Amino acid sequence: MAEQVPERVGSRFQLETELSRDLGLVAATTIIVGGIIGSGIFAAPAGIAAVLGSPSLFLLVWVIGGLLCFSGALCFAELGAMMPRTGGIIVYLRESYPPFVPFLYGWTETAVICPGALAAVSMICTSYVGYFIPEISLENVLIQAGPLMVSTQHLAIFAVLGLLCAVNYAGVRFGGIISNLSTFAKVAALLALVCLALIVGGSAENFSTPSATGREMSLFGALGTAMVGILFSYNGWYNTNNVAGEVKDPRRVLPLAIIIGLSLCMLVYLAVNWAYLYVMNIDEIAGSNQIAAEVAERLIGPVGGSLTSLAVIVATFGTLNANIIYMPRITYGMARERLFFSWLTRVHPRFRTPSRTITTLTVLGMIWSLVGNFMEIIMAVMYVLFVFYVLTVIAVFILRRKYPDEPRPFKVWGYPVTPLFFIVVSLGYIASTVLFSFSEALPGIIVLLLGAPVYLLWFRRQVIHE
């Protein structure tokens, strides 16, 4: 059971912030739910089914991934309640390790993951808009210069990202409203799909019929590969930690938002994947590029494709909005901790938002939509992110020893078993990725290596100026 510790005066980690504290429990929770439930639940099941080939394992890995992220979220809840400052992981790593470690994390997020994620999710969103407006297509090239091309879909991506940039530039409260509405809509749509499966029916034999093609990889390697899709689908469970500086009463609201939000996502994911498997067998899921639409079509006919496409648009739009809320706060928090360029610390004098980081990452996201495929990048970098997640969870042990008397309004349940579970399982996932998918993992290592000279050049400049 959670231990409630009274707050004392003179805490090392104060609550002061330049940013406006406009996010309540509902908005903080929907930032998590909105950030998690997005493109992953529509794109990941096919790859997971293909590599595992077992209905029972297909469902089991969603449970394992959910428990892994839940254990990590509990650790993050303790850290976030103890240090309710904008920046999330950057803040925790800064307090626990030498500056180079949090810089590398922030560098990875800022240079690749954040803009790449915005580009990838916006591609999915606009491609489903193209279901209703066929003119929006990558094939409709307007300008082509060598390997780069601008299509009508790219223009739609620029419009969507630009709109959400403007909304969140003008204030986190408006972004929170969009997050609330889109989150409720997409959760309702997914639950409607589950209800249709229950009402119309499927085949119970799908739960016991393995793949006809078999699995070529070892079980350890297959689970590790499948976890890439699982963890990508669950990624976002730490979103509210990044905007802790804008949460009302963060020492109470933050842990509640994390626990409620992730629990809801686990239940929705398990229910939706159960519905997938109830309607389609494991090989059919493995061969489906639009699993949710195909399931809906089998249940209610052609109208199901339209309704599901609309649900995907709502889901991915909400995910984009949640990302534009929390992603800039990583870079902003990093700059505030003097681990990145100081000009990114600017807070808009009227809107009280980190305006420069919002604009910078949005523009980078537009650029990534032209030059990169995020699914290849996420395969290379997701395991690198989990290296930093492991380091952050280890920070729970470090900070308990370093600051034993610091107020902790929330303490992780099941300590030390819970953080140890996260560390051990995550290390297994990381090892599996490096051992069985080294060529895909190599770009992640390159990204980290490129961060070293950037840090050294920036550090030397700071030393000279100081």
Side-chain angles (χ1 to χ4, degrees):
M1 185 175 180
E3 298 181 36
Q4 300 298 323
V5 181
E7 185 176 347
R8 64 176 171 82
V9 177
S11 170
R12 171 186 174 85
F13 308 107
Q14 301 295 326
L15 294 176
E16 287 82 357
T17 177
E18 292 179 281
L19 306 179
S20 178
R21 292 193 180 275
D22 289 328
L23 297 175
L25 177 59
V26 175
T29 302
T30 55
I31 287 173
I32 293 177
V33 177
I36 293 177
I37 300 179
S39 58
I41 190 62
F42 304 109
I48 295 168
V51 73
L52 293 177
S54 166
S56 57
L57 287 178
F58 176 76
L59 293 176
L60 180 61
V61 291
W62 288 97
V63 177
I64 295 174
L67 291 176
L68 175 65
C69 294
F70 195 84
S71 63
L74 290 175
C75 298
F76 275 56
E78 174 173 325
L79 295 172
M82 176 185 173
M83 296 175 282
R85 289 147 54 186
T86 294
I89 294 177
I90 291 292
V91 176
Y92 317 144
L93 294 178
R94 177 64 183 270
E95 290 292 336
S96 308
Y97 301 99
F100 183 56
V101 175
F103 172 84
L104 277 184
Y105 166 73
W107 162 257
T108 302
E109 286 276 10
T110 303
V112 178
I113 293 300
C114 293
L118 291 177
V121 179
S122 61
M123 282 182 179
I124 298 172
C125 179
T126 53
S127 69
Y128 275 88
V129 172
Y131 181 90
F132 301 100
I133 308 175
E135 291 77 14
I136 297 178
S137 171
L138 285 174
E139 283 71 35
N140 293 332
V141 179
L142 299 178
I143 302 173
Q144 185 164 359
L148 299 180
M149 64 180 182
V150 175
S151 68
T152 52
Q153 185 176 351
H154 287 120
L155 295 181
I157 290 171
F158 298 163
V160 169
L161 291 179
L163 171 64
L164 289 175
C165 175
V167 168
N168 286 282
Y169 188 101
V172 72
R173 180 179 299 172
F174 301 107
I177 292 173
I178 291 178
S179 180
N180 292 348
L181 295 177
S182 63
T183 297
F184 292 141
K186 66 186 173 185
V187 170
L190 289 171
L191 292 180
L193 187 66
V194 175
C195 291
L196 282 173
L198 287 169
I199 295 170
V200 177
S203 175
E205 293 182 0
N206 293 341
F207 295 100
S208 57
T209 304
S211 172
T213 60
R215 186 177 62 242
E216 299 180 358
M217 194 179 296
S218 69
L219 179 60
F220 179 69
L223 287 174
T225 302
M227 287 298 285
V228 175
I230 296 290
L231 298 177
F232 172 66
S233 299
Y234 276 112
N235 202 34
W237 46 270
Y238 58 90
N239 285 359
T240 302
N241 285 74
N242 294 311
V243 293
E246 292 158 276
V247 173
K248 299 176 183 177
D249 190 11
R251 297 190 188 278
R252 180 187 67 85
V253 169
L254 188 59
L256 285 175
I258 291 172
I259 293 168
I260 295 171
L262 189 52
S263 297
L264 179 59
C265 289
M266 286 180 62
L267 291 175
V268 171
Y269 275 5
L270 288 174
V272 171
N273 281 284
W274 174 88
Y276 290 164
L277 196 55
Y278 190 40
V279 176
M280 303 174 70
N281 65 42
I282 196 71
D283 284 325
E284 290 173 326
I285 294 175
S288 175
N289 293 324
Q290 296 179 331
I291 177 65
E294 291 186 22
V295 167
E297 287 178 3
R298 291 195 182 191
L299 292 172
I300 57 176
V303 69
S306 297
L307 293 176
T308 302
S309 295
L310 182 60
V312 174
I313 293 171
V314 172
T316 51
F317 187 82
T319 300
L320 282 172
N321 178 71
N323 287 348
I324 291 180
I325 289 178
Y326 89 85
M327 284 178 174
R329 274 68 179 180
I330 298 174
T331 304
Y332 170 81
M334 186 175 169
R336 281 291 304 273
E337 297 293 322
R338 305 187 64 173
L339 289 170
F340 216 54
F341 305 105
S342 59
W343 66 274
L344 290 171
T345 61
R346 182 181 185 272
V347 174
H348 194 280
R350 176 183 174 188
F351 301 125
R352 298 178 66 194
T353 56
S355 52
R356 284 182 179 170
T357 56
I358 292 173
T359 304
T360 299
L361 290 180
T362 301
V363 171
L364 287 175
M366 294 177 181
I367 294 172
W368 271 103
S369 72
L370 297 172
V371 301
N373 182 326
F374 181 66
M375 290 310 299
E376 295 175 355
I377 297 172
I378 202 66
M379 184 70 182
V381 181
M382 181 63 72
Y383 81 96
V384 179
L385 287 177
F386 262 79
V387 171
F388 292 108
Y389 297 163
V390 168
L391 290 173
T392 303
V393 171
I394 292 175
V396 173
F397 296 97
I398 295 174
L399 293 175
R400 283 202 179 192
R401 174 167 295 189
K402 188 175 181 180
Y403 304 118
D405 299 324
E406 190 66 30
R408 290 174 172 81
F410 177 89
K411 287 190 175 182
V412 59
W413 300 340
Y415 179 89
V417 175
T418 299
L420 287 175
F421 169 77
F422 181 88
I423 293 169
V424 171
V425 176
S426 296
L427 288 177
Y429 154 67
I430 294 167
S432 175
T433 301
V434 173
L435 291 174
F436 295 97
S437 305
F438 181 76
S439 60
E440 289 85 355
L442 187 58
I445 299 174
I446 295 175
V447 169
L448 288 176
L449 292 178
L450 288 176
V454 173
Y455 174 79
L456 291 175
L457 290 173
W458 173 85
F459 180 76
R460 289 177 181 176
R461 179 184 300 179
Q462 289 296 107
V463 169
I464 292 173
H465 286 179
E466 292 176 1

